[in-house]
Amino acid sequence: MAAPMLRWVGRGRRWTFAQVDGGSCHRREAPTGSTSNRIRGRSSVAQQPLYTTQKPRKGEHKWAAVVGLEIHAQISSNSKLFSGSQVRFSAPPNSLVSFFDASLPGTLPVLNRRCVEAAVMTGLALNCHINKKSLFDRKHYFYADLPAGYQITQQRLPIAVNGSLTYGVCAGKKQSQVIPKTVRIKQIQLEQDSGKSLHDDLRSQTLIDLNRAEGQLRVDANISVHHPGEPLGVRTEVKNLNSIRFLAKAIDYEIQRQINELENGGEILNETRSFHYQLGCTMSMRDKEGKQDYRFMPEPNLPPLVLYDATSLPAGADPQQVINIDQIRETLPELPSVTRERLVQQYGMLLEHSFTLLNEVGLLEFFQNVIKETRAEPKKVTSWVLNTFLGYLKQQNLAVSESPVTPSALAELLDLLDSRTISSAAAKQVFEELWKREGKTPGQIVSEKQLELMEDRGALEQLCHSMMEAHPQVVMDLKKGNPRAINKLIGLVRKATQSRADPAMIKEILEKKLSS
């Protein structure tokens, strides 16, 4: 109860697509898993549109979908939004409840400064306009986990409005091309979270926990379909989705269901639906035809929330008594979009590579630490980190923090490769040995296994001469103009030297002998 929440609401967007065959869901029992316990609280983040496209077949009508997301995100704070009660995950039920949380008469809300700062920081990160004056409202409705009979929110004038978030969508045959997309964010508001209702079907009773709703992130998806150029369709709301995977599945299913319903002469009801994660379909919960009157009214126990910036900050103001927007802006870390742009410009890497570095937890830090300690070119470091290193991690299902190869070890290995002490093939052998967690350095492995490149040019020339005499047909093919024949000779020489010979030097020697 009164848990600190951010509620992001955004504007829906449209996409055109063809008819998609709809699925069906025959079971009608109450949904299980994440949707069986009804969690209601607020934290609003953006209405982010998702879409499905297909080329229409002949005679089909095109459809357009509009999807808006209402995202509820808990603020990381030590105490609740309007009370001093602690916030602690998995605490015993009702063990962290103040008199205000229990809605005892005469108790008053006290706004948590940390939550306001977090809301401002979120708004700045999402390119929102921060309102220097925002208001709190009461939203009235009856539910057992809301003992006051109303919820404190920001309906009329929220703390942040009109934002945007740019993200990348992978496209192309190999999903290697990244196409930038932008979603609009309508508003961000601070909102009191309700308690949690725990339904006991065996005893036909519901238990209430006023500590706080435990889900750190949940989404309500509003979905409708229509023909382009026509009015928007009737929307449905799929409630309490708590994972990106379930969100995508619920949206895909609901779009297909609505199209199938309309194509078969049915109609879409303005209703609330839940997603059954086991069946992979949405199910009706209640209709919304009779719109509920929440009787919004100003919250009488909280004054307007006033924020300042460098230009409006009163002279001599106590920093502990005011919130400075510009000061919070200075504490913002480098945002992902800025980091990706910096990586592309600083190291000349592809945009899709920058996305991979940021999407894998700890991988960017690993990459930057290798860059600091090696003389190798950034492009070579990028290749080794994203291909070899990340490949080994995924093969063994390890996180970056669990890797047996440290940034220092990889940097040393790349230095050996860059100085032409070892070949690329030998470098891969060394990396494989490093992965065995034997505590050896790349230099020790190279020395023990004698993987250094051959420095005796005379011995290499003699080996090339012997290989040409042993394979006269390959030499004949090369003289006839077959350019691939020399690659076979190079491979044979490298095999004879256990990949210790430099391929470029082998090629140079072979070409010189063939021309003489």
Side-chain angles (χ1 to χ4, degrees), residues 15-20 54-57 59-65 225-230 259 262-263:
W15 292 267
T16 301
F17 55 96
Q19 173 185 357
V20 183
Q54 286 186 352
K55 290 184 178 180
R57 294 186 291 268
E60 290 183 337
H61 296 289
K62 289 185 177 180
W63 290 94
V225 300
H226 67 284
H227 290 301
E230 296 182 1
I259 293 175
L262 294 171
E263 290 284 350

Side-chain angles (χ1 to χ4, degrees), residues 356 360 363 382-398 431 435:
T356 304
E360 298 289 338
L363 190 60
T382 302
S383 176
W384 272 81
V385 170
L386 296 185
N387 296 326
T388 307
F389 177 72
L390 188 57
Y392 271 72
L393 288 178
K394 290 186 175 181
Q395 188 178 29
Q396 300 189 20
N397 196 27
L398 296 177
F431 188 88
W435 203 263

